[in-house]
Amino acid sequence: MAEGRVLYELANIPEQTAADIIRSLGMDKAHISRIVARFQETGLVKSRISPEHGKHKLLSLTAKGKQTFQQLNAGTQAQIEDLVSPLPAHHQQRLAANLYEIQTLLSGTKASPDEVQLRSLKVGDLGWITHRQALLYQQEYGWDWTYEGLVAQILGDFAKYFDPAREDAWVAEHHGEVMGSIFLMKSQDAEVAKLRLLYVEPSARGLGVGSRLVHRCIERARELGYKTLTLWTNDNLVSARKIYQAFGFVLVEENRHHSFGKDLVGQTWTLDLRAH
């Protein structure tokens, strides 16, 4: 296994020092030295003096080494295919997404803003968004299951009465994983649209996802000819409120209410879409 890992490193980065391999793999220096020596003896690896540093030897695979790696890699791919091919396509996609998430969590890296894409709704989104919003708001604010019921009702009505000429929705996605969403919905007033159900996954916060979703919603509302965009939120949703304020939304009304098992302060915010 250790030899395979070293072979893989040299196949993917053509020239590197033994020290580079040690840092990449986190392996013992003596162990790497023995593997490299065996590879050189069997004609799998060659070396040359670095032109930038005379004391450094750059290691690379020989033609025999490359052929050996290709054979090993083909065997590995065949084994993986044997494991995965019996699975239905949606299970394969789920497996790939979960493996990517495991890699991301273990590496401690976050998605970059450019990797997060905004797309339209697809099958499964409404149920997933309902599920995630309910769980997150319970974990972060202690709201009970009645909030899930409200979200389910709002999205159920959105699907039932959807008007493509007056409404829209976007999902933020990163490598197949939903990172947030937002909805543009019509109201009883033909000149007034509603911004509803903005949420961003904790793993995507700090990447500007919330701002991108709100900006897309505002621009779409203008395109559809609305004059005013309104939203209802609660004062404890501080991060969302900061985004709304940054885009020029104005607080027009506050009301105390008891909902979702908590005493809350509801807020209505509006944005004049004619102002730039």
Side-chain angles (χ1 to χ4, degrees):
M1 181 65 74
E3 290 182 349
R5 293 175 67 191
V6 173
L7 204 63
Y8 178 87
E9 286 297 313
L10 288 171
N12 284 274
I13 303 177
E15 284 196 321
Q16 52 184 313
T17 65
D20 293 329
I21 298 173
I22 291 168
R23 283 191 292 270
S24 297
L25 299 181
M27 293 171 61
D28 179 70
K29 179 180 180 180
H31 194 183
I32 293 293
S33 296
R34 289 193 295 270
I35 291 174
V36 170
R38 283 198 296 271
F39 282 174
Q40 289 178 316
E41 290 173 4
T42 54
L44 299 179
V45 168
K46 60 184 178 180
S47 66
R48 71 182 182 98
I49 301 299
S50 170
E52 298 178 355
H53 199 299
K55 293 185 179 181
H56 291 175
K57 288 185 178 181
L58 297 176
L59 304 173
S60 61
L61 295 181
T62 62
K64 180 181 178 181
K66 292 177 182 178
Q67 183 180 13
T68 301
F69 169 75
Q70 290 172 355
Q71 292 172 345
L72 288 173
N73 198 46
T76 301
Q77 290 178 342
Q79 288 180 321
I80 294 172
E81 186 174 347
D82 288 342
L83 288 171
V84 174
S85 58
L87 298 175
H90 66 283
H91 283 175
Q92 293 181 25
Q93 293 171 356
R94 181 181 174 188
L95 177 63
N98 287 338
L99 288 173
Y100 178 82
E101 183 175 3
I102 290 169
Q103 182 183 32
T104 300
L105 291 173
L106 291 177
S107 66
T109 58
K110 293 187 67 174
S112 70
D114 293 340
E115 293 177 325
V116 180
Q117 305 297 320
L118 302 189
R119 61 164 175 81
S120 57
L121 290 175
K122 64 182 183 182
V123 174
D125 283 338
L126 297 186
W128 178 257
I129 290 167
T130 301
H131 165 75
R132 288 301 298 160
Q133 282 213 24
L135 281 181
L136 288 175
Y137 283 33
Q138 193 281 324
Q139 294 167 0
E140 297 180 358
Y141 306 109
W143 292 4
D144 64 22
W145 61 270
T146 58
Y147 178 68
E148 184 175 7
L150 174 63
V151 176
Q153 180 182 354
I154 292 171
L155 293 183
D157 288 343
F158 177 77
K160 184 176 181 179
Y161 303 109
F162 178 63
D163 182 352
R166 305 296 289 165
E167 297 178 303
D168 215 331
W170 301 269
V171 172
E173 186 178 76
H174 177 252
H175 290 285
E177 182 181 359
V178 174
M179 308 300 279
S181 61
I182 197 169
F183 292 80
L184 175 67
M185 300 185 185
K186 61 186 177 184
S187 70
Q188 294 180 342
D189 187 335
E191 295 184 345
V192 178
K194 296 180 180 180
L195 183 160
R196 307 203 75 174
L197 299 177
L198 169 68
Y199 102 98
V200 177
E201 289 285 346
S203 59
R205 292 171 188 171
L207 300 178
V209 173
S211 295
R212 286 178 60 191
L213 287 166
V214 171
H215 180 263
R216 180 68 64 86
C217 188
I218 292 171
E219 291 305 303
R220 183 59 173 153
R222 285 197 175 107
E223 290 174 6
L224 295 179
Y226 288 109
K227 295 181 180 179
T228 302
L229 186 60
T230 185
L231 65 90
W232 182 83
T233 187
N234 287 282
D235 69 340
N236 60 331
L237 304 184
V238 178
S239 297
R241 280 178 29 233
K242 288 181 179 179
I243 294 174
Y244 303 143
Q245 287 176 297
F247 280 100
F249 280 86
V250 177
L251 177 63
V252 296
E253 186 178 2
E254 285 189 316
N255 290 291
R256 295 186 179 277
H257 64 105
H258 185 84
S259 303
F260 323 129
K262 296 290 182 178
D263 292 321
L264 302 168
V265 178
Q267 297 180 329
T268 300
W269 294 73
T270 64
L271 176 67
D272 184 353
L273 296 172
R274 296 164 297 185
H276 291 278

